Amino acid sequence: MVVRAAVAGASGYAGGELLRLLLAHPEVEIGALTGNSNAGQRLGALQPHLLPLAGRVLEPTTPEVLAGHDVVFLALPHGQSAAVAEQLGPDVLVVDMGADFRLKDAGDWEAFYGSPHAGTWPYGLPELPGARSALEGSKRVAVPGCYPTAVSLALFPAYTAALAEPEAVIVASSGTSGAGKAPKPHLLGSEVMGSMSPYGVGGVHRHTPEMIQNLSAAAGERVSVSFTPTLAPMPRGILATCSAKARPGVSAQSLRAAYEKAYADEPFVHLLPEGQWPATASVHGSNAVQVQVAYDAAAGRVIAISAIDNLAKGTAGGAVQSMNLALGLDETTGLTTIGVAP
Amino acid sequence: MVVRAAVAGASGYAGGELLRLLLAHPEVEIGALTGNSNAGQRLGALQPHLLPLAGRVLEPTTPEVLAGHDVVFLALPHGQSAAVAEQLGPDVLVVDMGADFRLKDAGDWEAFYGSPHAGTWPYGLPELPGARSALEGSKRVAVPGCYPTAVSLALFPAYTAALAEPEAVIVASSGTSGAGKAPKPHLLGSEVMGSMSPYGVGGVHRHTPEMIQNLSAAAGERVSVSFTPTLAPMPRGILATCSAKARPGVSAQSLRAAYEKAYADEPFVHLLPEGQWPATASVHGSNAVQVQVAYDAAAGRVIAISAIDNLAKGTAGGAVQSMNLALGLDETTGLTTIGVAP
Amino acid sequence: MVVRAAVAGASGYAGGELLRLLLAHPEVEIGALTGNSNAGQRLGALQPHLLPLAGRVLEPTTPEVLAGHDVVFLALPHGQSAAVAEQLGPDVLVVDMGADFRLKDAGDWEAFYGSPHAGTWPYGLPELPGARSALEGSKRVAVPGCYPTAVSLALFPAYTAALAEPEAVIVASSGTSGAGKAPKPHLLGSEVMGSMSPYGVGGVHRHTPEMIQNLSAAAGERVSVSFTPTLAPMPRGILATCSAKARPGVSAQSLRAAYEKAYADEPFVHLLPEGQWPATASVHGSNAVQVQVAYDAAAGRVIAISAIDNLAKGTAGGAVQSMNLALGLDETTGLTTIGVAP
Amino acid sequence: MVVRAAVAGASGYAGGELLRLLLAHPEVEIGALTGNSNAGQRLGALQPHLLPLAGRVLEPTTPEVLAGHDVVFLALPHGQSAAVAEQLGPDVLVVDMGADFRLKDAGDWEAFYGSPHAGTWPYGLPELPGARSALEGSKRVAVPGCYPTAVSLALFPAYTAALAEPEAVIVASSGTSGAGKAPKPHLLGSEVMGSMSPYGVGGVHRHTPEMIQNLSAAAGERVSVSFTPTLAPMPRGILATCSAKARPGVSAQSLRAAYEKAYADEPFVHLLPEGQWPATASVHGSNAVQVQVAYDAAAGRVIAISAIDNLAKGTAGGAVQSMNLALGLDETTGLTTIGVAP
């Protein structure tokens, strides 16, 4: 099979990571690469790490340029995907790496994004219960947010096994690439090196309703989420520390068993041996997810922690994994569980 | 006043930071500096940033060397302070920067440290209710742990004002200097740069009972603490993200009012203006504490966040602040609220 | 003495560092703080580490606002100082932290800066031969560039002692704060963390003629300089590795003797003991300069290496040191040789 | 072809990187993995990023364990390879990633390593003139040092084209993984983050004679090298800034032409477009080499700069590239020119 892929938004971090992965994908041929403000520039100047594509020139994001591909990836700012997607035919696979089609509840969308809801597409986190079958053969995929990927994979087994109360408390640290490539003062190297700081505190981060959606589906009841993101002095990686009160009767053993069951056959999720903890460096550049779970007996809480690469499994790797499913390829094609460390 | 100070354990990070602060203290004259494995070495080789002391040579930690000072600081590994302190007379001020005398409950000590309890000294966190008076004129001071400093100052006003339920969930990130200077593989620069990872998960970190002690005293009832520490890729700083379920009737306004009241007259605690969040870079090298509080209405939780320099306010700065009180000096003498940033 | 100081350009990194130092200066009272695009904003939002000034509001940079001070510091982009300085009377001390008045040769200025030469003021690197006397009592001071500070102090003793040939090869690494606070894509944390890269290669960096000026004066003949700056993944610090062919007869001993003589009485320059090498961390936040020199016998070259804090001794600390001399204060007033490490 | 490969020294950084690359090599099957102090441990605990090998257990480094493989990689401390290599038969391909067999001159070896010279093997830097043919079909390969790889590829085209005088001045910055995984105080994260520092100054670094050997061969005369390595606050990467006086008549054009000619057909060396400079982040995890050259007309010097990943092209990638040649495989098999950035 030769899958011809276009990437809209090839100059940003998500687009660059996607191209890195597509270059290693044995079935994909990279087609049109588009940008807006960067149209006309050489990719070698914008993404100097992608040597095989250094000579490629960005084109404008138009229906004509995106036409004639088997799959179109949209790595666009939130709110722009819907307009582009409308212009693409029903037979082309469209993988949206933005937020536009992730949420099921239009009210949630409007409350957190402040614009009309564009719709809901099959959700590209295959490890969630039921997600895989919705992705197989689909022509539309909504790639999850990076934080919801890390948090959902850390916590959902506790909810499907009914071991945790439906009030999750989450503190997650992200590398700076999660904030994108648009230059802003607080993202300067001088500001972020040597500093940890929170942002979007108090339930206002836009990934919150997506976490609630995923965890509630797993629990079979509404799960409240208190989510605090923090910016960490590293370019990549998310470490999500998630907890919830344990249901009566929960033990370290029952927790371990639930996670072992949930992840026994998952190719990308690695439940670490007892005593070993996730580290973002271990999944740098890889599609792997490190997960560990503990029972804090004194506080009576389930503590579940995951590490992902926010650009890989958290964005572009998740997109490729879902593309594989949508196209009927082996889900792991072109993806790796090997990190680049140290 | 001339206060002659000795430092036992001058080659480590806590000892080095203490010397940095004492050099800037107008009333202190630095006396004996001791080490164990490093006795006989020049301080210039061990602490090259302390230029005025570069020619000083470390002596062994013996009663003879420590005799003849007004204050003796103990920057020793946990469990070693008690033996040294016993040999010092009742008239010398002894400031223990280790854990030995922090806990009131001998059972807690034995459970978390695995050795007999040495006793309890006045607790060197002056901002806690009642702490200041116990420190004034005292001849013994137990300097708090770095995490308990950050966490207690983030949360106690919510407990004294009875705004939070007695179940705190805490995730805190620390710079690597908190793990000390003894070389271990997981603390190598190659390992920590670019990586976030948790440790001591599940209620086993030794600072947990100290947090419980402080928060319970503020609440007037036992507060349970679920504490997860994470190692951040930076040399200094702690960011503590603390939350608890809000009591009925709590609002953003009542929270703000409680924190404003608690910190109105505190020279080192800076309750940030609304909308601004703590950042460890802002308190780098300073004794200041940045605090902010929010009400997560959807999740019904109080979110309180603090940033400190783990070596300064979290260890050596706290020690100097308490020394000032014990000696009858102005509490702020020799300390600064100005950070070194960027 | 009470010295009333105004700072034009208080929102940038140089201005912020200057304020940090002035806050610790016993003779200085901080007067007007100005900005351009930031006028009207609270300093607490722009420089959150300067807690004592958090409530101050930036004013526009006008002659009226700057009037009535004993000293006016100009922390402005290159080319803007001259216009502001003209409006200040001859009796006020003006300390320019920009490049406008550093160069003696108008042709050099025009070649490297592309605008008419504004003039030459006494050069604020007191450690250079003859510099101190020109600064004492002066009403105008040109603060050196950060790289020229590091390079000149590393190499000039070899030139005054006629131990090195007049062709210097210099590679220096700077922390990102040297590039300023204006957000640019290549200065994002995501780009700089984990990366070393050169810039301004091939003799085009604007600090080159300033180095030539200083080293030529020391050598008594024109010294050519091949200078390559590199951007290092750290917020602060410059490490300058400087070399030149050794003159005949040079030995490790003669080099050491020349440097010992040059720096015997300098309060801020620390010639390290043999076998110890400079590290930028050791001078973080301090006005100290670490210098070491070696003789590479096989290659026949003098290797001189210095470490400074680019914002402190390299900019704001140098400015305060020169202000002290200009005002007749002790040169070291308000400055420290103690770094903040680790 | 199935190539069965053993790795002696699988627990260190070089061994880990080699395994990362071998896992992606389509012709290689990973056989025995050995360690010394770590024998008996799970690789998952030592190299947690190598998920597919997590369950493998390290064996002791003995002839029996290493027997029965097509290729044996030695990732051992300097001086240990010769003893192990002696026990391996002449028909097995032995790739030494240590220094033991790199130098041709026994006197150089003894002067810099202080032990008897073990011999000289074909040198694994295929891009050097004549190197490729010596590697093809060889049963022994000496992998170059990381610094000599970066430096030789930056400078040799200037020497083969006779554009540079035979006195090279080199300052190179390395990430901390180049110093290995053995814990030492100066390699702690607390020490290296935020700091640049030199080491091995004055011609004493062991990679110096290797650079001289390579550059002299290119120049056809002895080239002296003044080499200063510096430790940079990043885990990976080498940036080498190399210069030499230009020969008479050299111009920017003649330099560019020489480099274009040298690297026209090299799959891994990327001579950047004019105006673009190497950055270590761009080659993170890749076997690519970024090279740029400039002519500093005022100083009359050739400035050549390269960026490599010290663990990839600088060690393990170079080893695989040479293995490919030795085995008659396509030289690029299993290797990538795509970096992991940001």
Side-chain angles (χ1 to χ4, degrees):
Chain A
M1 181 190 278
V2 175
V3 178
R4 201 166 153 75
V7 178
S11 65
Y13 289 144
E17 181 72 355
L18 179 67
L19 290 172
R20 186 178 77 82
L21 299 178
L22 294 181
L23 281 164
H25 195 292
E27 314 291 345
V28 169
E29 182 184 292
I30 295 175
L33 307 181
T34 79
N36 281 322
S37 54
N38 296 305
Q41 293 191 46
R42 285 176 57 254
L43 199 68
L46 298 165
Q47 308 274 21
H49 60 298
L50 301 177
L51 187 48
L53 298 173
R56 294 287 298 272
V57 173
L58 290 195
E59 299 179 83
T61 307
T62 65
E64 293 72 30
V65 168
L66 296 177
H69 295 84
D70 302 304
V71 54
V72 175
F73 290 94
L74 306 178
L76 302 171
H78 298 322
Q80 299 191 4
S81 299
V84 176
E86 263 177 23
Q87 303 168 323
L88 300 168
D91 295 334
V92 62
L93 170 58
V94 183
V95 181
D96 182 22
M97 299 162 76
D100 296 26
F101 301 97
R102 291 172 189 161
L103 295 183
K104 294 179 178 164
D105 187 289
D108 277 349
W109 173 270
E110 285 156 24
F112 279 84
Y113 291 88
S115 61
H117 189 219
T120 309
W121 288 357
Y123 189 74
L125 193 52
E127 293 85 356
L128 287 186
R132 206 163 255 126
S133 62
L135 292 165
E136 287 165 355
S138 174
K139 288 297 184 187
R140 295 292 184 268
V141 173
V143 178
C146 49
Y147 283 123
T149 295
V151 166
S152 301
L153 296 177
L155 267 185
F156 94 79
Y159 283 114
T160 51
L163 300 175
E165 299 288 348
E167 298 186 345
V169 178
I170 292 154
V171 179
S173 298
S174 174
T176 53
S177 61
K181 209 174 181 171
K184 296 172 191 163
H186 75 286
L187 297 175
L188 283 172
S190 300
E191 300 294 316
V192 298
M193 288 186 282
S195 198
M196 292 285 306
S197 57
Y199 62 102
V201 183
V204 302
H205 193 283
R206 288 171 164 177
H207 286 177
T208 308
E210 196 179 337
M211 297 177 195
I212 293 172
Q213 176 175 291
N214 294 348
L215 298 179
S216 298
E221 63 177 319
R222 181 169 178 89
V223 174
S224 85
V225 167
S226 170
F227 171 53
T228 306
T230 65
L231 190 68
M234 57 188 193
R236 287 188 181 224
I238 287 179
L239 183 78
T241 302
C242 312
S243 74
K245 224 183 254 200
R247 287 245 158 103
V250 165
S251 66
Q253 291 69 30
S254 60
L255 272 173
R256 181 100 202 148
Y259 278 73
E260 282 177 348
K261 186 178 160 208
Y263 291 132
D265 298 321
E266 285 299 339
F268 293 115
V269 185
H270 182 48
L271 178 65
L272 289 166
E274 294 184 61
Q276 193 174 346
W277 292 92
T280 63
S282 296
V283 295
H284 189 100
S286 115
N287 209 52
V289 183
Q290 287 191 334
V291 173
Q292 185 57 287
V293 65
Y295 177 52
D296 181 338
R301 292 186 77 87
V302 175
I303 319 285
I305 303 185
S306 65
I308 64 167
D309 183 321
N310 61 306
L311 291 180
K313 175 61 176 168
T315 306
V320 171
Q321 187 180 348
S322 291
M323 177 200 77
N324 288 338
L325 284 168
L327 295 174
L329 296 169
D330 183 285
E331 187 177 333
T332 65
T333 311
L335 295 169
T336 182
T337 59
I338 305 167
V340 181
Chain B
M1 182 191 278
V2 176
V3 177
R4 201 166 153 76
V7 178
S11 66
Y13 288 143
E17 181 71 354
L18 179 66
L19 289 172
R20 185 177 77 82
L21 299 178
L22 294 181
L23 281 164
H25 195 292
E27 315 291 347
V28 169
E29 182 184 293
I30 296 175
L33 307 180
T34 80
N36 282 320
S37 54
N38 295 306
Q41 292 191 46
R42 285 176 56 256
L43 199 68
L46 298 164
Q47 307 275 21
H49 59 299
L50 302 176
L51 186 47
L53 298 173
R56 294 286 299 271
V57 173
L58 289 195
E59 300 179 83
T61 307
T62 64
E64 292 71 31
V65 168
L66 296 178
H69 296 84
D70 302 303
V71 53
V72 175
F73 291 93
L74 305 178
L76 303 171
H78 299 321
Q80 300 191 6
S81 299
V84 176
E86 262 178 22
Q87 302 169 324
L88 300 168
D91 294 335
V92 61
L93 170 57
V94 182
V95 180
D96 182 23
M97 298 162 76
D100 295 26
F101 299 97
R102 292 173 189 160
L103 296 182
K104 293 178 179 165
D105 187 288
D108 277 349
W109 174 271
E110 283 156 24
F112 279 84
Y113 291 87
S115 61
H117 189 220
T120 309
W121 289 357
Y123 189 72
L125 194 52
E127 293 85 357
L128 288 185
R132 209 162 253 128
S133 61
L135 292 165
E136 287 165 354
S138 173
K139 288 299 184 186
R140 295 292 185 270
V141 173
V143 178
C146 50
Y147 284 122
T149 295
V151 166
S152 302
L153 296 177
L155 268 186
F156 94 79
Y159 283 114
T160 50
L163 300 175
E165 299 288 349
E167 297 187 345
V169 178
I170 293 154
V171 179
S173 298
S174 174
T176 53
S177 60
K181 208 173 182 173
K184 296 172 191 165
H186 74 286
L187 297 176
L188 283 172
S190 300
E191 300 295 316
V192 297
M193 287 186 283
S195 199
M196 291 285 305
S197 58
Y199 63 102
V201 184
V204 302
H205 193 284
R206 289 172 165 177
H207 285 177
T208 308
E210 196 179 336
M211 296 177 196
I212 294 173
Q213 176 175 291
N214 295 348
L215 297 179
S216 298
E221 63 177 318
R222 180 170 180 89
V223 175
S224 85
V225 167
S226 170
F227 171 54
T228 306
T230 65
L231 191 67
M234 57 188 192
R236 285 187 181 223
I238 287 178
L239 183 78
T241 302
C242 312
S243 74
K245 225 182 253 199
R247 287 248 157 103
V250 164
S251 66
Q253 290 69 31
S254 60
L255 273 172
R256 181 98 201 151
Y259 278 72
E260 282 177 349
K261 186 178 159 207
Y263 291 133
D265 299 321
E266 284 299 340
F268 293 115
V269 185
H270 183 47
L271 179 64
L272 289 165
E274 293 184 61
Q276 193 174 346
W277 291 92
T280 62
S282 297
V283 295
H284 188 99
S286 113
N287 208 53
V289 183
Q290 287 191 331
V291 172
Q292 184 57 289
V293 66
Y295 176 53
D296 182 337
R301 291 186 78 87
V302 175
I303 318 286
I305 304 184
S306 65
I308 63 167
D309 182 321
N310 61 306
L311 291 179
K313 176 61 178 169
T315 305
V320 171
Q321 187 180 350
S322 290
M323 175 199 77
N324 287 339
L325 284 168
L327 295 174
L329 296 168
D330 183 285
E331 188 177 334
T332 65
T333 310
L335 296 168
T336 182
T337 59
I338 306 168
V340 181
Chain C
M1 183 191 279
V2 175
V3 178
R4 202 166 152 77
V7 178
S11 66
Y13 288 144
E17 181 72 354
L18 179 66
L19 289 173
R20 186 178 76 83
L21 299 178
L22 293 181
L23 281 165
H25 195 293
E27 315 290 346
V28 169
E29 182 184 293
I30 296 175
L33 307 180
T34 80
N36 281 321
S37 53
N38 295 307
Q41 292 191 45
R42 285 177 57 255
L43 200 67
L46 298 164
Q47 308 275 20
H49 60 299
L50 301 177
L51 185 48
L53 299 173
R56 294 287 298 271
V57 173
L58 290 195
E59 301 178 83
T61 307
T62 64
E64 293 70 32
V65 168
L66 296 178
H69 296 85
D70 302 303
V71 52
V72 175
F73 290 93
L74 305 178
L76 303 171
H78 299 322
Q80 299 190 6
S81 299
V84 176
E86 261 177 23
Q87 303 169 320
L88 300 169
D91 294 334
V92 62
L93 171 57
V94 183
V95 180
D96 182 23
M97 297 162 76
D100 295 27
F101 300 97
R102 291 173 189 160
L103 295 182
K104 293 178 179 164
D105 188 290
D108 277 350
W109 174 270
E110 284 155 23
F112 279 84
Y113 291 88
S115 61
H117 189 219
T120 310
W121 288 357
Y123 189 72
L125 194 53
E127 293 84 358
L128 288 185
R132 209 162 254 126
S133 62
L135 292 165
E136 287 165 355
S138 174
K139 287 298 183 184
R140 295 291 184 270
V141 172
V143 178
C146 51
Y147 284 123
T149 295
V151 167
S152 302
L153 295 178
L155 267 186
F156 95 79
Y159 282 115
T160 51
L163 300 175
E165 299 288 348
E167 297 186 343
V169 178
I170 293 154
V171 179
S173 299
S174 175
T176 53
S177 60
K181 209 172 181 173
K184 296 172 191 164
H186 74 287
L187 297 176
L188 283 172
S190 300
E191 300 293 317
V192 299
M193 287 185 284
S195 198
M196 291 284 307
S197 58
Y199 63 101
V201 183
V204 303
H205 193 283
R206 288 171 164 178
H207 286 178
T208 308
E210 196 180 336
M211 296 177 195
I212 293 173
Q213 176 175 293
N214 294 349
L215 297 179
S216 297
E221 63 177 319
R222 180 172 178 87
V223 175
S224 84
V225 166
S226 170
F227 171 53
T228 306
T230 65
L231 191 68
M234 58 188 190
R236 287 187 180 222
I238 287 178
L239 183 78
T241 302
C242 312
S243 75
K245 223 182 253 199
R247 286 246 157 103
V250 164
S251 66
Q253 291 69 30
S254 60
L255 272 173
R256 182 98 201 149
Y259 277 73
E260 283 178 348
K261 186 177 160 208
Y263 290 132
D265 298 321
E266 285 298 339
F268 293 113
V269 185
H270 183 46
L271 178 65
L272 290 165
E274 294 184 61
Q276 193 174 348
W277 291 92
T280 62
S282 296
V283 295
H284 188 99
S286 114
N287 209 51
V289 184
Q290 287 192 332
V291 173
Q292 185 56 287
V293 64
Y295 177 53
D296 182 337
R301 291 186 78 87
V302 174
I303 318 286
I305 303 184
S306 65
I308 64 167
D309 182 320
N310 61 305
L311 290 180
K313 175 62 177 168
T315 305
V320 171
Q321 188 181 349
S322 290
M323 176 199 76
N324 287 339
L325 284 168
L327 294 175
L329 296 168
D330 184 284
E331 187 176 335
T332 64
T333 310
L335 295 168
T336 181
T337 59
I338 305 167
V340 181
Chain D
M1 181 191 280
V2 174
V3 178
R4 202 167 152 74
V7 178
S11 65
Y13 288 143
E17 182 71 355
L18 179 66
L19 290 171
R20 185 177 77 83
L21 299 178
L22 294 181
L23 281 164
H25 195 292
E27 315 290 347
V28 169
E29 182 183 292
I30 295 175
L33 307 181
T34 79
N36 281 322
S37 54
N38 296 307
Q41 292 190 48
R42 286 176 57 255
L43 200 68
L46 298 164
Q47 308 274 19
H49 60 299
L50 302 176
L51 185 48
L53 299 172
R56 296 286 299 271
V57 173
L58 290 194
E59 300 178 83
T61 307
T62 65
E64 293 70 30
V65 168
L66 297 177
H69 296 84
D70 303 302
V71 52
V72 175
F73 290 93
L74 305 178
L76 303 170
H78 299 322
Q80 299 191 6
S81 299
V84 176
E86 260 177 25
Q87 302 168 323
L88 301 168
D91 294 334
V92 62
L93 170 58
V94 183
V95 181
D96 182 23
M97 299 163 75
D100 295 28
F101 300 97
R102 293 172 188 160
L103 296 182
K104 294 178 179 165
D105 187 289
D108 276 350
W109 174 270
E110 285 156 23
F112 279 83
Y113 291 88
S115 62
H117 189 220
T120 309
W121 288 358
Y123 189 72
L125 193 53
E127 293 85 356
L128 287 186
R132 209 163 252 126
S133 62
L135 292 165
E136 287 165 355
S138 174
K139 288 298 186 187
R140 294 292 184 270
V141 172
V143 178
C146 50
Y147 284 123
T149 294
V151 166
S152 302
L153 295 177
L155 267 186
F156 95 79
Y159 282 116
T160 51
L163 300 176
E165 300 288 349
E167 296 186 346
V169 177
I170 293 153
V171 179
S173 297
S174 174
T176 52
S177 61
K181 209 174 183 173
K184 296 171 191 165
H186 74 287
L187 297 175
L188 283 173
S190 300
E191 300 293 316
V192 299
M193 288 186 282
S195 198
M196 292 283 306
S197 57
Y199 63 102
V201 183
V204 303
H205 193 282
R206 287 170 165 179
H207 285 177
T208 309
E210 197 179 337
M211 296 177 195
I212 293 172
Q213 177 175 293
N214 294 350
L215 297 179
S216 298
E221 63 178 318
R222 181 171 180 87
V223 175
S224 85
V225 167
S226 170
F227 171 53
T228 306
T230 65
L231 191 68
M234 56 188 192
R236 286 186 180 225
I238 287 179
L239 182 79
T241 302
C242 312
S243 75
K245 227 183 249 199
R247 286 246 157 103
V250 165
S251 65
Q253 290 69 30
S254 61
L255 273 172
R256 181 98 200 150
Y259 278 71
E260 282 177 348
K261 186 178 161 208
Y263 290 131
D265 299 321
E266 285 299 339
F268 292 114
V269 185
H270 182 47
L271 179 64
L272 290 165
E274 295 184 61
Q276 193 174 347
W277 292 92
T280 62
S282 296
V283 296
H284 189 100
S286 116
N287 208 51
V289 183
Q290 288 191 331
V291 172
Q292 184 56 288
V293 66
Y295 177 52
D296 182 338
R301 292 186 77 88
V302 175
I303 318 286
I305 303 184
S306 65
I308 64 168
D309 183 321
N310 60 305
L311 290 179
K313 174 62 177 169
T315 305
V320 171
Q321 188 181 349
S322 290
M323 176 200 78
N324 287 340
L325 285 167
L327 294 174
L329 296 168
D330 182 283
E331 187 177 333
T332 64
T333 311
L335 295 169
T336 183
T337 60
I338 305 168
V340 181

